[in-house]
Amino acid sequence: MFKPVAALLTVAAVALPLAACSSSDGESGDDPIVIYSNSTSDGRGEWLTDQASEAGFNIEFVDLGGGDVQDRLVAEKANPIADVVFGLNNVYFENIKAEDVLESYTPSWSDKVEAGLGDDDTYWPIVREPIMLVYNDAAFTEADAPKDWSDLWEQDRFHDRYEVASGLGGATTQMVIAGILSRYLDENGDLGVSDEGWKAIEAYYKNGQKSVKGTDLYARMQSGEIDAGQMWLAGKASREKEYGIKTSAVHPSTGVPMATQHVAKVAGSDNPKVEEFIDWFGSADVQASWSREFFTAPVNEDALADADQTAVEETDSFTAQDIDWQIVAENLSAWVEKIELQYL
């Protein structure tokens, strides 16, 4: 079945292809494997396209925020465009699984990953990623830096000196929201959250500076406009090199949201190379190379020995926050809507 990806991307302005391969990149005449992902920035898409081409795969990306990938897949489930989705965390995968967007497939490397990190049926884990609050080392000493997210809105000296996301479609942003609101769960509260929790979120957005479209958090910290904001581990490493500043990550006593990225086959895909691609992408060799290139902690146990050891050690240095992901999955969309309407 031919998939009019180019036409889709032209019409849908929110879908930005990071890399598109011609048919000469794979076997002649092959339809491309269309991949939806929120994890192709910082050169990932280009690198994976090159590596996949060398392995005989013709791939095309649609790059969106995690929430936007989820919504697109659900909207298209009657006539799917994507063949593969990767990079999303458990919350998104549980939501799209419930919408019958995914097809069962057991990768060849399934016995090399910890059972239960995915659903052991349709979506399978590839990378662990702590979601962090980072700050510019030039702005604070370790003693006077924030020790937790709550310090940002509870202590006047941090007011207007940290960035909050102006849009809530991204996976990192939604994990920050989940991490904050999970501290205040109350079955009798509005959307399962206590009044205290909603006051905390209100204060968080009220006392921060909204992100600026097209301007990276690290560019703003470099210029001294702000001092802190949200980041994931691999993003911290790449941006420190790009902007020439040193940052530190906060280790709250309650832990941090630990996102596990996954890969899955989209139901309705008829591309004959999809399963082979998933086997290749999650393999020890590819995941170890991905780790060394992009500072990630793979979950494939056979990839760990050749992975970036600093990335693995830094990931392990964080305590995973105790979050009821089922409750988050059930409420996250409503939480995001409330925040957009009332606090943004």
Side-chain angles (χ1 to χ4, degrees):
M1 180 180 68
F2 173 71
K3 298 184 178 183
V5 177
L8 168 71
L9 298 178
T10 300
V11 174
V14 294
L16 305 177
L18 276 186
C21 304
S22 67
S23 61
S24 62
D25 291 328
E27 296 181 4
S28 179
D30 281 355
D31 282 346
I33 299 171
V34 180
I35 302 171
Y36 283 11
S37 179
N38 65 332
S39 190
T40 56
S41 61
D42 299 332
R44 287 173 174 80
E46 292 88 346
W47 183 89
L48 188 56
T49 297
D50 290 342
Q51 298 296 314
S53 178
E54 291 181 10
F57 300 104
N58 178 14
I59 64 176
E60 289 185 356
F61 282 111
V62 175
D63 174 36
L64 297 166
D68 298 323
V69 170
Q70 170 188 280
D71 294 344
R72 176 67 63 85
L73 288 169
V74 172
E76 294 173 354
K77 70 177 182 178
N79 186 26
I81 301 297
D83 299 299
V84 173
V85 53
F86 87 84
L88 304 185
N89 58 47
N90 294 64
V91 172
Y92 295 126
F93 269 112
E94 278 298 310
N95 288 339
I96 60 177
K97 177 183 176 180
E99 294 286 345
D100 297 323
V101 168
L102 305 179
E103 182 173 317
S104 295
Y105 177 64
T106 301
S108 59
W109 41 265
S110 61
D111 61 338
K112 303 301 181 181
V113 299
E114 181 183 338
L117 285 179
D119 74 339
D120 302 331
D121 178 30
T122 59
Y123 64 91
W124 297 85
I126 48 175
V127 169
R128 292 184 299 134
E129 192 92 68
I131 304 302
M132 315 170 302
L133 169 62
V134 298
Y135 62 84
N136 188 353
D137 288 358
F140 306 112
T141 66
E142 185 177 355
D144 62 15
K147 303 298 186 294
D148 199 345
W149 290 92
S150 55
D151 290 346
L152 299 178
W153 62 84
E154 291 179 353
Q155 299 185 31
D156 292 348
R157 62 197 179 95
F158 298 125
H159 288 182
D160 214 33
R161 300 301 306 166
Y162 64 92
E163 182 181 271
V164 295
S166 55
L168 305 185
T172 299
T173 298
Q174 293 192 4
M175 289 302 94
V176 171
I177 292 169
I180 294 173
L181 291 182
S182 288
R183 306 181 187 197
Y184 302 97
L185 296 182
D186 180 351
E187 62 182 11
N188 296 316
D190 185 18
L191 302 177
V193 175
S194 68
D195 289 344
E196 182 182 7
W198 289 118
K199 288 177 181 177
I201 280 288
E202 180 180 16
Y204 170 61
Y205 281 98
K206 179 180 179 180
N207 292 298
Q209 284 195 40
K210 289 183 180 179
S211 59
V212 178
K213 187 176 182 180
T215 304
D216 194 89
L217 164 68
Y218 273 65
R220 300 182 76 193
M221 290 198 291
Q222 180 191 51
S223 69
E225 184 180 351
I226 57 172
D227 302 321
Q230 68 184 36
M231 188 50 57
W232 61 99
L233 185 65
K236 175 181 181 293
S238 64
R239 284 160 174 78
E240 286 183 339
K241 293 179 182 178
E242 181 177 355
Y243 293 98
I245 63 174
K246 291 295 293 180
T247 60
S248 294
V250 176
H251 287 67
S253 59
T254 56
V256 302
M258 188 66 73
T260 304
Q261 298 181 15
H262 305 271
V263 62
K265 180 180 180 180
V266 176
S269 169
D270 59 1
N271 191 305
K273 300 196 76 172
V274 166
E275 294 177 359
E276 183 183 349
F277 171 80
I278 292 174
D279 287 348
W280 171 83
F281 179 51
S283 67
D285 287 346
V286 175
Q287 285 301 303
S289 297
W290 182 270
S291 169
R292 294 192 301 270
E293 191 74 19
F294 300 112
F295 204 74
T296 59
V299 298
N300 185 324
E301 62 184 28
D302 286 354
L304 290 173
D306 294 325
D308 186 310
Q309 296 306 300
T310 303
V312 175
E313 290 168 5
E314 289 193 18
T315 299
D316 289 341
S317 75
F318 289 90
T319 299
Q321 183 179 351
D322 185 13
I323 294 176
D324 189 325
W325 291 114
Q326 182 176 354
I327 291 179
V328 172
E330 291 170 355
N331 291 282
L332 185 57
S333 294
W335 291 349
V336 167
E337 183 178 11
K338 179 180 175 71
I339 292 168
E340 287 177 336
L341 292 175
Q342 297 187 24
Y343 306 132
L344 285 178

